[in-house]
């Protein structure tokens, strides 16, 4: 009976996952078609559309912008989010719940609201149409994922280890580097991966803040969908799906290491 229940459970889970992923994955075989329009089932097999994407100057520029912005935003969000998570975990103070809510608010706030607000603020600071503006905006979006991940890791650490290290004469910085950071590292790395994916796939805020020189890959896809939808767009989408899937797998690997 237990085996039958487990089999039914995994069957339902597999069918649900297939139902959710199929509309996304169907774009992958369409990127190999030999026709100049998107068709399913695809006709023939070719890698020419991937070559077109890699060889086109506008796609190369968008790819570089996306990578630079995503890496910088992930690094900044990881530092700020880790520091905030450790402070929230280690201390109790008035208004802690409010601070926690503010840190996590970008995760639940409609992205169009954030985009309009950031455009209004960043335009006054001269950060519109700059990579720095995109980095800062995506950092705000990514911080909640780092905070949640690091808090989960910090909650699994034996709370007596840090006082023990300090009691043995270690400095606070030494204790952080040699005791705290190694123990929470899976959560830090997992948060960094999700921060990278958040920036890599983001399009709404980028539409408000980027221009022709700073546009990212999602903006290019958006423009192609509106003007000239061809299999090259499907090829880029397939690459984005692959990178996002790799990021999720890596984060799960870190989660398993943490547990």
């Amino acid at each position: 009976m237990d085996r039958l229940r487990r089999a039914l459970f995994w069957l339902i889970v597999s069918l649900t996952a297939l139902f959710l992923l199929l509309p996304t994955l169907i774009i992958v075989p369409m990127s190999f078609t030999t026709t100049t329009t998107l068709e399913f089932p695809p006709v023939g097999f070719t890698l020419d559309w991937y070559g077109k994407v890699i060889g086109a100057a506008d796609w190369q520029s968008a790819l570089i912008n996306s990578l630079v912005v995503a890496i910088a935003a992930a690094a900044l969000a990881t530092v700020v989010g880790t520091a905030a998570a450790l402070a929230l975990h280690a201390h109790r103070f008035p208004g802690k719940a409010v601070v926690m809510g503010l840190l996590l608010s970008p995760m639940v706030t409609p992205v169009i609201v954030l985009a309009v607000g950031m455009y209004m603020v960043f335009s006054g600071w001269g950060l519109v149409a700059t990579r720095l503006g995109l980095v800062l905006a995506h950092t705000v979006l990514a911080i909640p994922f780092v905070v949640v991940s690091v808090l989960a890791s910090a909650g699994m650490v034996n709370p007596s280890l840090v006082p023990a290290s300090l009691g043995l004469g270690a400095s606070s910085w030494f204790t952080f580097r040699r005791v705290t950071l190694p123990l929470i590292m899976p959560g830090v790395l997992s948060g960094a991966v999700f921060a990278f994916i958040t920036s890599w796939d983001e399009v709404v805020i980028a539409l408000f803040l980027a221009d022709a020189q700073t546009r990212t890959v999602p903006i290019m896809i958006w423009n192609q969908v509106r003007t000239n939808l061809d299999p090259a767009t499907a090829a880029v989408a397939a690459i984005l799906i692959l990178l996002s899937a790799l990021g999720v797998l890596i984060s799960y690997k870190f989660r398993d290491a943490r547990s």
Side-chain angles (χ1 to χ4, degrees):
M1 182 62 73
D2 290 339
R3 288 184 177 180
L4 179 59
R5 289 178 179 176
R6 284 197 296 268
L8 289 175
F9 171 77
W10 285 111
L11 177 62
I12 294 173
V13 170
S14 300
L15 291 176
T16 303
L18 181 62
F19 175 77
L20 295 174
L21 293 176
L22 189 59
T24 301
L25 296 179
I26 202 172
I27 200 70
V28 176
M30 294 172 66
S31 66
F32 298 106
T33 183
T34 56
T35 61
T36 57
T37 59
L38 288 175
E39 295 183 11
F40 189 86
V43 179
F45 180 88
T46 181
L47 296 175
D48 291 346
W49 300 111
Y50 288 88
K52 177 182 177 181
V53 170
I54 296 174
D58 52 351
W59 283 109
Q60 290 178 0
S61 175
L63 179 60
I64 292 174
N65 287 331
S66 289
L67 286 174
V68 171
V69 171
I71 292 173
L76 187 57
T78 301
V79 173
V80 176
T82 300
L86 291 177
L88 290 170
H89 177 73
H91 303 287
R92 293 184 178 181
F93 52 89
K96 179 178 178 179
V98 176
V99 174
M100 184 69 173
L102 289 174
L103 286 172
L104 300 184
S105 61
M107 189 181 290
V108 296
T109 304
V111 67
I112 187 65
V113 176
L114 291 174
V116 173
M118 288 179 179
Y119 176 80
M120 295 178 64
V121 174
F122 285 11
S123 61
W125 294 348
L127 293 176
V128 175
T130 64
R131 281 183 180 174
L132 178 59
L134 283 174
V135 170
L136 294 178
H138 287 179
T139 298
V140 172
L141 289 180
I143 284 176
F145 296 95
V146 180
V147 171
V148 171
S149 182
V150 175
L151 277 176
S153 284
M156 301 176 65
V157 175
N158 188 336
S160 63
L161 294 178
V162 172
S165 176
L166 296 174
L168 292 173
S171 64
S172 298
W173 177 241
F174 182 88
T175 300
F176 172 75
R177 288 189 299 110
R178 302 299 296 272
V179 179
T180 304
L181 186 59
L183 292 174
I184 66 171
M185 185 57 71
V188 173
L189 295 178
S190 180
V193 170
F194 276 108
F196 178 88
I197 295 175
T198 299
S199 174
W200 178 257
D201 289 339
E202 201 284 319
V203 63
V204 178
I205 291 177
L207 284 171
F208 276 79
L209 300 183
D211 63 357
Q213 283 69 44
T214 58
R215 60 188 175 186
T216 59
V217 171
I219 293 179
M220 288 288 295
I221 295 178
W222 172 265
N223 292 334
Q224 289 289 316
V225 169
R226 294 181 62 193
T227 58
N228 182 29
L229 185 61
D230 62 19
T233 308
V236 178
I239 295 173
L240 292 178
I241 292 172
L242 176 61
L243 291 177
S244 299
L246 288 175
V248 172
L249 291 175
I250 293 172
S251 67
Y252 272 106
K253 188 69 175 179
F254 293 147
R255 186 197 65 175
D256 293 339
R258 180 176 62 202
S259 58

